[in-house]
Amino acid sequence: MTSTPPAPDLPDDVTVEELQRLCVRFATEAARFIRDERPERVGVAATKSSETDVVTVMDRRSEELLHRLIQQARPDDGILGEEGADVAGTSGLTWVVDPIDGTVNYLYEVPAYAVSVAVVVGDAHSQGGWVPVAGAVADPSLRLVHHAGRGRGAWTGPEDPASGDDPVRLSVSGEDRLARTLLATGFGYDPQVRARQAEVLLRVLPLVRDIRRIGSAALDLVRVAEGSVDAYAETGLNAWDLAAGWLIVLEAGGVVLGAGEGEASSPGKALTVAAGPALAPEVRRLFVATGDAAG
């Protein structure tokens, strides 16, 4: 079992520190935008995978803002985003962005949504073909930004650095027993996928302390990194859902696993599990025991 991909090579013109700083700036600016410029009534621009999977007007405007910021700072880098306006790059770096993670929460004014920005090396379109090198998850409701750079630890700090509050270093829970585990999870939008996920939870729920469903994969991963939940497991995640959170968990001392071996050991659609090193394999076994990870 491996959870930490090998350290990637970066272009000569950039450092992890600089990329981390840019992730924080871009995620924070987009978070302020979706909070401060939110209209009284948020329009639904389209649906994605199903009628319950919405794209808001603010999703698109936030992604346009992120594209503009990235291209101004790093014009040769690629961009992969949830709303599909991808940009091919030539530098070997790709920015993986989710302009609003937790769109349904945002639509209903439930204060559990985020902006996720990460920069990765490799083919961000392929399972197991990429690794994150820097990332940030900005929480507009709490005015916090969670961030990490490879080899630089994971941190939570105020949205406004001038607030006087120092960043706090994150560390995953030390819990190692399933029966005492507070497990975060999420559900897909396709009705058949939801039905399978419900069947899995019927088996899992009696084996853990309790389950939380927050509605934002990025914030779930942050909660693992800060130890406010012990573990997280979900099927159906895309690169933009997990890129920044994956690195934040790793840099907080955690483990992030996929459903299988080789390329499938990387987190992704089949399964994403995040927890402390002692707990992660146990949680993973819960979700792959009978092929249930194929959500």
Side-chain angles (χ1 to χ4, degrees):
M1 178 189 73
T2 179
S3 63
T4 306
D9 293 327
L10 295 178
D12 292 336
D13 66 339
V14 71
T15 64
V16 169
E17 181 180 11
E18 171 67 7
L19 293 174
Q20 184 177 355
R21 185 186 66 79
L22 289 174
C23 286
V24 169
R25 179 163 71 87
F26 299 160
T28 300
E29 288 197 35
R32 286 173 173 156
F33 170 75
I34 65 173
R35 182 189 63 234
D36 298 344
E37 301 299 321
R38 178 191 170 99
E40 185 175 342
R41 293 181 61 85
V42 177
V44 177
T47 57
K48 291 182 275 189
S49 61
S50 74
E51 290 185 356
T52 56
D53 189 6
V54 297
V55 182
T56 68
V57 172
M58 293 296 282
D59 271 296
R60 292 184 174 174
R61 292 182 65 192
S62 178
E63 185 166 83
E64 289 168 1
L65 171 62
L66 288 168
H67 275 234
R68 184 165 64 252
L69 292 170
I70 292 166
Q71 290 177 315
Q72 287 172 350
R74 300 280 309 168
D76 296 328
D77 296 351
I79 305 174
L80 174 65
E82 182 178 13
E83 308 312 330
D86 298 346
V87 174
T90 58
S91 69
L93 297 178
T94 301
W95 294 82
V96 180
V97 302
D98 194 337
I100 305 179
D101 184 65
T103 302
V104 174
N105 285 346
Y106 183 73
L107 187 66
Y108 283 85
E109 297 189 73
V110 177
Y113 52 87
V115 176
S116 178
V117 177
V119 59
V120 311
V121 172
D123 181 3
H125 294 86
S126 67
Q127 172 73 28
W130 57 276
V131 292
V133 294
V137 174
D139 184 333
S141 301
L142 295 181
R143 298 175 186 258
L144 294 174
V145 58
H146 318 279
H147 54 94
R150 186 166 291 275
R152 295 178 54 81
W155 303 84
T156 290
E159 180 184 279
D160 181 3
S163 68
D165 295 330
D166 293 330
V168 175
R169 187 157 190 165
L170 303 182
S171 181
V172 298
S173 162
E175 184 56 66
D176 60 0
R177 289 182 56 186
L178 280 174
R180 298 190 304 223
T181 293
L182 182 61
L183 175 68
T185 192
F187 308 124
Y189 290 102
D190 180 270
Q192 293 181 333
V193 171
R194 286 183 168 191
R196 289 196 297 272
Q197 290 170 328
E199 292 173 0
V200 174
L201 290 185
L202 284 174
R203 178 170 52 78
V204 171
L205 184 55
L207 303 176
V208 298
R209 169 170 280 163
D210 208 346
I211 288 177
R212 293 291 179 267
R213 200 285 199 213
I214 295 166
S216 164
L219 291 180
D220 280 327
L221 288 163
V222 165
R223 286 181 170 90
V224 172
E226 69 185 12
S228 59
V229 300
D230 300 306
Y232 165 67
E234 185 172 352
T235 60
L237 297 192
N238 294 291
W240 49 81
D241 298 310
L242 64 90
W246 178 9
L247 184 61
I248 292 170
V249 171
L250 291 182
E251 290 295 321
V255 172
V256 184
L257 304 174
E261 304 299 328
E263 289 185 354
S265 68
S266 295
K269 279 188 173 295
L271 182 65
T272 298
V273 170
L279 192 59
E282 297 298 315
V283 174
R284 180 182 174 276
R285 276 192 283 273
L286 282 181
F287 285 81
V288 300
T290 57
D292 293 320

